Amino acid sequence: MKQYEPDRLSPAQVAAIRRSFRNGRAALTRRSLLRASAGGAVTLGGLGALSGCGIPAAGKTTGGTSAEDHSAKEKTVNFSNWTEYMDVDDSGKHHPTLDAFTKRTGISVKYTEDINDNNEFFGKIKPQLAAGQDTGRDLIVLTDWLAGRLIRLGWVQQLDAANLPHAYANLSQQFRSPDWDPGRAYSYPWQGISTVIAYNKKALNGVEVKSVSDLLDNPKLKGRVGFLTEMRDTMGMTLLDMGKDPAKFTDDDYDAAVARLQKAVDGGQIRRFTGNDYTSDLTSGDFAACLAWAGDVVQLKADSPDVDFVIPDSGYLTSSDNMLIPNKARHKTNAERLMDYYYEPQPAAQLAAYINYVCPVDGVKDALAKIDKEAADNPLIIPDKAMQAKSHSFRSLSAEEETAYEAKFAKLTGA
């Protein structure tokens, strides 16, 4: 029997994962500024599963491997998601949108917040998927690069468009056709995550910031600028500033962007590379400006009148967290119905009002305005067409590219 030989992690990739656990997106909260971090519950034990070998392949057949669908007889769906990524009521015990779905459909939702990091979760489910077994989950939410990996491996099921009429009709244009899932045959976005430039007006003291070039080149900002420890965010924004498309860049383009950042590091322009701990630097004024995640900026602006953001003319980077149905899931139709439910304007608006990330659902603004007009008017939550046009995605990487790029980035950041 042919054995599955998974991608091995290079030392640079392991370092990147450790950074993510410590202070990157794995440490973010979706609602407040501190995503429930791994703490003692999440370890790097899952990394062994990432680098192991000898697990029989489930196969790389197009469309993944379905099991018998028990949706008609078993009115349930098992949904695994990130922490703090769902609306909750004032008691903190109930999820209003999920409760409304159950009341309408009779389908109960077993909702579990057991995803703290993409790599750790992949290590958790990989043995079952590689062996062609049920993971016990009908719906999972993964960031685009890992969603793409599972699709390439043939470990998630092709979606039935007949069960997704709202999703098909209402998916925002900017999320419709990523290179890792053209036409969204296997996935639909849960939320979008945008990288922008945030600044502290008081700390800038009249200095204008409109671009990544301003961060890197303005001597008045020397030592007061921050970039992110997440490679795709920092490199994607730098590539855009250099006139390169993050969806199509070459090795030479990447090396040129690294060199540009290295010059700013050597000259003391960049104070440091950070995870979500940039939030304290920004509010205190230690950072006059920095790269930031839009979900954080929404919260920071609500708490600090000095904090604001700018979208560079060159554009900004958007990734997505995506709903997928693993192979052998018992309740595929029920999972698709739940996916489609969150593309109806009302549930989508309730979710957006609570978590404040980029809503991937067109036509939600009016429904959101009835709940929270400020959120409905916020382009970081509901991008207008002009802002959508400036959105770019970081292209999929081969295993070899990821190893090489992470190694160069680790050297740049001193990781």
Side-chain angles (χ1 to χ4, degrees):
M1 179 180 292
K2 183 179 179 181
Q3 301 292 298
Y4 166 63
E5 183 70 24
D7 298 337
R8 293 181 178 276
L9 291 178
S10 69
Q13 288 172 302
V14 172
I17 294 167
R18 292 183 186 275
R19 290 199 306 273
S20 186
F21 275 120
R22 187 169 61 246
N23 60 4
R25 283 206 35 228
L28 285 176
T29 180
R30 296 299 186 174
R31 173 58 181 165
S32 64
L33 296 179
L34 299 172
R35 172 188 256 177
S37 65
V42 178
T43 71
L44 291 177
L47 299 183
L50 287 173
S51 57
C53 61
I55 299 175
K60 299 186 180 181
T61 56
T62 300
T65 306
S66 62
E68 181 182 353
D69 191 351
H70 298 266
S71 292
K73 294 182 179 179
E74 299 177 6
K75 294 293 186 178
T76 188
V77 60
N78 297 309
F79 184 7
S80 283
N81 204 349
W82 295 77
T83 56
E84 301 292 332
Y85 218 6
M86 180 66 75
D87 57 307
V88 297
D89 65 4
D90 291 339
S91 73
K93 297 179 180 179
H94 300 283
H95 302 292
T97 57
L98 289 177
D99 291 346
F101 173 79
T102 297
K103 184 177 181 180
R104 181 202 295 181
T105 64
I107 300 170
S108 64
V109 182
K110 182 181 178 183
Y111 184 71
T112 308
E113 295 182 333
D114 60 346
I115 304 178
N116 292 283
D117 176 83
N118 285 289
N119 284 292
E120 182 269 342
F121 187 72
F122 180 65
K124 184 187 298 185
I125 63 175
K126 185 180 76 70
Q128 294 115 309
L129 291 174
Q133 299 171 352
D134 181 10
T135 66
R137 300 167 175 87
D138 301 305
L139 193 61
I140 58 177
V141 177
L142 298 175
T143 305
D144 44 19
W145 61 268
L146 184 55
R149 179 188 292 179
L150 264 64
I151 291 169
R152 290 194 302 273
L153 289 168
W155 287 355
V156 294
Q157 298 186 51
Q158 187 165 350
L159 302 174
D160 184 348
N163 294 327
L164 295 156
H166 297 96
Y168 181 82
N170 296 336
L171 177 60
S172 174
Q173 187 63 41
Q174 75 181 97
F175 295 106
R176 279 197 174 267
S177 195
D179 68 348
W180 48 269
D181 186 15
R184 292 288 182 179
Y186 300 91
S187 69
Y188 271 92
W190 176 248
Q191 295 291 291
I193 304 158
S194 294
T195 305
V196 299
I197 295 175
Y199 59 86
N200 184 309
K201 288 179 278 190
K202 186 176 180 180
L204 283 179
N205 193 26
V207 177
E208 190 173 59
V209 171
K210 291 186 175 181
S211 67
V212 171
S213 287
D214 290 333
L215 300 183
L216 294 175
D217 301 332
N218 192 327
K220 293 181 180 179
L221 299 179
K222 183 176 180 179
R224 300 192 295 139
V225 166
F227 281 71
L228 293 166
T229 53
E230 297 293 335
M231 181 268 286
R232 287 168 175 81
D233 296 302
T234 286
M235 296 305 300
M237 291 293 283
T238 304
L239 285 162
L240 280 170
D241 189 71
M242 297 171 67
K244 303 297 181 180
D245 186 348
K248 301 176 181 177
F249 68 91
T250 66
D251 288 349
D252 288 342
D253 295 333
Y254 187 90
D255 290 345
V258 168
R260 186 156 188 241
L261 288 164
Q262 187 67 60
K263 181 180 178 181
V265 169
D266 295 342
Q269 184 77 8
I270 296 175
R271 183 183 184 93
R272 66 190 185 104
F273 292 85
T274 73
N276 75 304
D277 49 329
Y278 67 79
T279 56
S280 58
D281 287 322
L282 189 62
T283 54
S284 70
D286 288 341
F287 281 166
C290 63
L291 295 187
W293 290 302
D296 284 350
V297 176
V298 173
Q299 296 297 316
L300 288 173
K301 278 173 60 64
D303 297 332
S304 174
D306 290 326
V307 173
D308 212 333
F309 74 98
V310 65
I311 303 297
D313 288 340
S314 60
Y316 67 101
L317 205 70
T318 301
S319 58
S320 56
D321 286 333
N322 309 276
M323 297 178 282
L324 306 104
I325 299 175
N327 283 357
K328 297 293 185 178
R330 286 178 62 88
H331 311 108
K332 181 175 184 285
T333 298
N334 290 346
E336 289 168 337
R337 291 183 68 183
L338 183 58
M339 292 171 71
D340 192 62
Y341 168 74
Y342 279 105
Y343 275 81
E344 296 178 26
Q346 186 60 37
Q350 288 180 253
L351 186 65
Y354 189 82
I355 63 178
N356 293 162
Y357 272 72
V358 181
C359 181
V361 182
D362 271 346
V364 77
K365 186 170 184 175
D366 289 345
L368 181 56
K370 295 176 182 178
I371 303 170
D372 185 340
K373 189 175 187 309
E374 186 176 346
D377 292 335
N378 191 329
L380 296 181
I381 300 174
I382 308 294
D384 57 25
K385 289 185 178 180
M387 187 165 173
Q388 287 185 27
K390 291 185 176 182
S391 173
H392 297 265
S393 298
F394 200 93
R395 70 171 173 82
S396 299
L397 301 178
S398 67
E400 293 78 13
E401 286 177 323
E402 183 146 1
T403 297
Y405 292 169
E406 284 287 6
K408 292 173 181 177
F409 190 70
K411 183 178 180 182
L412 169 71
T413 60

